[in-house]
Amino acid sequence: MTGLGALLDWFAASKELAAAEGRRDLQDARLRALPREEIFLYVKPIDNTRVRCVEARSEWLSSAVATLCVLLIAGSFMLALAPSSIIWLCNHRIEELKQERAALLNEYRALRAEEAALLSPEKLEQYAGERFVNPSPKDMVYAPPPKADVAKLGRR
């Protein structure tokens, strides 16, 4: 209790000293400003360079077991989430492919309509101008159907 009491007295003495700053000339020169100044602290330097560290195998083993348990729990959590996340990614890709197919189908239909418009008899006459002559029926050459179709026609 001497150390704490002395410390508190030292703080109180410093406050009293600040209050008595104006009355400095009245103080006796033989009195000290700090009471109990015989208390001092001695700090002994300690050199730990030659001290060897004692291995604690049980602490290392418990740390390794705890780390292994955390890794196993994290791995099992990831394995539990893997199937649902893979299914989610596959469904997302399927929806993207469906949208891409619909866009390509619409583009195909637009191109077919444009081709039909360009190959219409009115457009061909417009492109050919005076040089376009309708062929006569004698000038028309009809290609024979493929062999599979010929075989079907003979069975009728």
Side-chain angles (χ1 to χ4, degrees), residues 88-104:
W88 181 78
L89 287 173
C90 290
N91 287 339
H92 184 68
R93 181 67 179 148
I94 287 171
E95 288 300 319
E96 285 179 353
L97 291 174
K98 283 181 181 178
Q99 290 175 357
E100 183 180 353
R101 181 182 181 276
L104 289 175

Side-chain angles (χ1 to χ4, degrees), residues 20 22 38 45 58 76 89 101 116 123 130 143 151:
E38 69 276 359
S58 62
S76 63
L89 287 173
R101 181 182 181 276
K123 283 286 187 178
E130 297 291 323

Side-chain angles (χ1 to χ4, degrees), residues 65-134:
V65 168
T67 304
L68 186 63
C69 288
V70 167
L71 288 175
L72 286 174
I73 290 171
S76 63
F77 186 68
M78 289 171 51
L79 283 175
L81 291 178
S84 61
S85 61
I86 289 172
I87 290 171
W88 181 78
L89 287 173
C90 290
N91 287 339
H92 184 68
R93 181 67 179 148
I94 287 171
E95 288 300 319
E96 285 179 353
L97 291 174
K98 283 181 181 178
Q99 290 175 357
E100 183 180 353
R101 181 182 181 276
L104 289 175
L105 190 60
N106 287 337
E107 184 180 353
Y108 172 72
R109 288 177 181 155
L111 289 174
R112 290 280 306 250
E114 185 179 343
E115 180 187 20
L118 290 175
L119 293 178
S120 67
E122 297 86 23
K123 283 286 187 178
L124 289 177
E125 286 181 15
Q126 180 184 357
Y127 293 145
E130 297 291 323
R131 295 181 301 170
F132 182 71
V133 177
N134 283 330

Side-chain angles (χ1 to χ4, degrees), residues 2-103:
T2 305
L4 182 60
L7 186 64
L8 292 175
D9 287 344
W10 181 72
F11 284 134
S14 64
K15 289 181 182 177
E16 288 175 7
L17 179 65
E21 193 65 37
R23 299 179 287 138
R24 181 167 276 249
D25 56 343
L26 300 177
Q27 288 182 348
D28 187 6
R30 291 177 290 166
L31 295 176
R32 305 291 285 172
L34 299 174
R36 297 185 186 173
E37 71 176 9
E38 69 276 359
I39 299 174
F40 64 94
L41 300 174
Y42 176 73
V43 178
K44 178 180 176 183
I46 300 173
D47 183 23
N48 289 334
T49 57
R50 294 182 294 155
V51 177
R52 291 189 56 138
C53 181
V54 178
E55 281 189 36
R57 289 185 182 258
S58 62
E59 292 177 9
W60 180 85
L61 186 61
S62 64
S63 299
V65 168
T67 304
L68 186 63
C69 288
V70 167
L71 288 175
L72 286 174
I73 290 171
S76 63
F77 186 68
M78 289 171 51
L79 283 175
L81 291 178
S84 61
S85 61
I86 289 172
I87 290 171
W88 181 78
L89 287 173
C90 290
N91 287 339
H92 184 68
R93 181 67 179 148
I94 287 171
E95 288 300 319
E96 285 179 353
L97 291 174
K98 283 181 181 178
Q99 290 175 357
E100 183 180 353
R101 181 182 181 276

